[in-house]
Amino acid sequence: MSSKDFIIKHMNADHQDSLALFLQAYNSISASEAKTAHLEDISLTGLTITAKGTRYHVPIEPAMKSYSDARGCMVAMHKESLKRLGRSDVTLTEYRGPRGFQAVIFGLCLFTYASCFQRTNLLPGSVVYEYLGYKYVPNFAHFVYNIQPYLFPAVVAIHIFESVLLAVLRLKPLGVPVFSGLWFAWVSSCFVEGFGCFQRIGSIVKKERAKRGKSE
């Protein structure tokens, strides 16, 4: 097998994500269109990549002197693609639910949504009041009833703001497609609990980078 054929086979088998990035960064192709990227040909000056039946040319600048330069060139193009797209070097591929103290916060926030959605939930006789514990703390229920018109809108507004920040500052750079199942999982979780999502994503990214460091 020639060096050229080996590069094509290797890129398609092990670095299809890089090919998709090249199309997005150098040809302004959307992530969904680039998902099927396949390297058809390579020369010292460029790549021929197909996606969804369309053929694209991705220039190699500066041109390679020989195919032995391909590995370093592809690594450099991958990093340049991430830079152009405003992407992180890590791609987020999983949703991780809250645990421990974060799970407690999640539960408290969910309880707040359920109980403060309507003021009548905080009055004797309502399902929330009778079965979710407010009947045991009537003074607290009365206090929450009084501040509900201010508390509930404030909690919703803060968590909407945090969810937007998560989508823009964390999910987009980490390559999570907008409106995908993974995107909805993180955004909806953030809407309930807030900052805990940022912490968990940060932990995932940190571990992934540490894993890469050990394998290099």
Side-chain angles (χ1 to χ4, degrees):
M1 182 182 293
S2 68
S3 297
K4 181 176 177 178
D5 290 337
F6 175 80
I7 293 168
I8 293 173
K9 182 178 180 180
H10 176 65
M11 290 298 294
N12 285 324
D14 300 323
H15 299 287
Q16 197 271 341
D17 58 331
S18 292
L19 298 176
L21 278 177
F22 296 164
L23 290 182
Q24 294 174 65
Y26 292 91
N27 297 83
S28 300
I29 306 302
S30 69
S32 59
E33 290 178 300
K35 192 178 296 185
T36 60
H38 180 84
L39 182 60
E40 272 197 355
D41 195 15
I42 183 172
S43 69
L44 298 179
T45 59
L47 309 172
T48 300
I49 303 174
T50 58
K52 291 192 173 180
T54 302
R55 184 178 287 108
Y56 301 93
H57 175 72
V58 178
I60 295 177
E61 298 175 344
M64 296 185 293
K65 294 180 180 180
S66 70
Y67 288 115
S68 62
D69 297 333
R71 184 179 186 281
C73 179
M74 295 302 103
V75 170
M77 288 180 67
H78 184 94
K79 291 180 178 178
E80 176 63 21
S81 296
L82 292 174
K83 183 178 178 181
R84 291 190 183 193
L85 296 169
R87 285 274 306 276
S88 167
D89 59 322
V90 174
T91 298
L92 183 64
T93 59
E94 64 172 306
Y95 169 74
R96 188 173 296 175
R99 295 180 180 179
F101 180 71
Q102 289 184 358
V104 173
I105 297 299
F106 187 96
L108 288 174
C109 290
L110 199 60
F111 178 80
T112 300
Y113 279 124
S115 60
C116 293
F117 179 71
Q118 298 182 88
R119 291 188 84 190
T120 53
N121 287 341
L122 301 161
L123 295 175
S126 71
V127 172
V128 171
Y129 187 94
E130 299 296 332
Y131 294 100
L132 294 186
Y134 276 112
K135 65 179 180 179
Y136 300 110
V137 284
N139 290 335
F140 179 68
H142 181 70
F143 169 73
V144 177
Y145 176 85
N146 288 332
I147 67 171
Q148 188 271 351
Y150 312 101
L151 174 66
F152 187 73
V155 170
V156 171
I158 290 171
H159 284 204
I160 287 177
F161 178 69
E162 288 180 316
S163 298
V164 171
L165 286 182
L166 186 86
V168 174
L169 300 181
R170 300 302 284 166
L171 300 185
K172 183 178 179 181
L174 290 170
V176 178
V178 178
F179 301 137
S180 64
L182 184 60
W183 187 91
F184 274 114
W186 279 110
V187 171
S188 59
S189 187
C190 188
F191 178 69
V192 175
E193 63 179 299
F195 186 66
C197 288
F198 288 86
Q199 294 177 313
R200 294 200 300 281
I201 290 176
S203 177
I204 292 172
V205 171
K206 184 177 180 179
K207 288 180 180 178
E208 181 61 29
R209 286 178 176 155
K211 188 190 302 180
R212 291 182 181 182
K214 290 179 180 179
S215 62
E216 291 176 353

